[in-house]
Amino acid sequence: QVQLVESGGGLVQPGESLRLSCVASESIFSINIMMWYRQAPGKQREWVTTITRVGFLTYADSVKGRFTISRDSAKNTMYLQMNSLKPEDTAVYYCHSSASASWGQGTQVTVSS
């Protein structure tokens, strides 16, 4: 099973940007599906975006046009570029994959003025 470690979170003001990273314990080249989820305080974990091995992308409506998912197989890393952040994007962000059996610790993103 592939282990994933998230990083890149922080405290930003509304309208600013952040890039999250998700580093895998082994090659991601053959992983079919990689995803980002998030969990806001007091809410259930929700799906944010997916990237497939062949590059097919899907986004939740709440982030479409603002977030961009990508993956770099050479670096065994997936990214989430988050632009025009809003307070409602505040959450712990998790990456996951079709080759992973467990969840990582996540990375906290806080959007506040």
Side-chain angles (χ1 to χ4, degrees):
Q1 296 292 327
V2 177
Q3 304 296 318
L4 302 171
V5 178
E6 306 91 343
S7 65
L11 171 63
V12 297
Q13 295 189 348
E16 294 186 338
S17 299
L18 275 177
R19 189 177 79 157
L20 306 184
S21 298
C22 171
V23 179
S25 58
E26 55 188 83
S27 174
I28 65 172
F29 180 80
S30 60
I31 296 178
N32 287 323
I33 301 172
M34 299 190 74
M35 301 150 281
W36 285 98
Y37 284 77
R38 67 185 181 186
Q39 186 166 17
K43 296 187 177 182
Q44 290 190 331
R45 190 170 299 179
E46 66 172 358
W47 168 78
V48 176
T49 179
T50 295
I51 184 168
T52 69
R53 185 172 60 87
V54 297
F56 185 72
L57 312 178
T58 52
Y59 297 93
D61 288 343
S62 59
V63 306
K64 199 172 296 183
R66 300 188 298 121
F67 290 12
T68 303
I69 189 173
S70 62
R71 56 194 282 176
D72 186 339
S73 294
K75 297 182 178 179
N76 295 337
T77 302
M78 177 177 66
Y79 302 98
L80 182 64
Q81 177 66 43
M82 306 186 296
N83 299 330
S84 303
L85 282 162
K86 304 176 181 180
E88 51 264 43
D89 295 318
T90 295
V92 178
Y93 283 72
Y94 301 88
C95 57
H96 199 55
S97 82
S98 53
S100 302
S102 60
W103 295 83
Q105 295 299 308
T107 185
Q108 175 71 49
V109 172
T110 303
V111 185
S112 175
S113 55

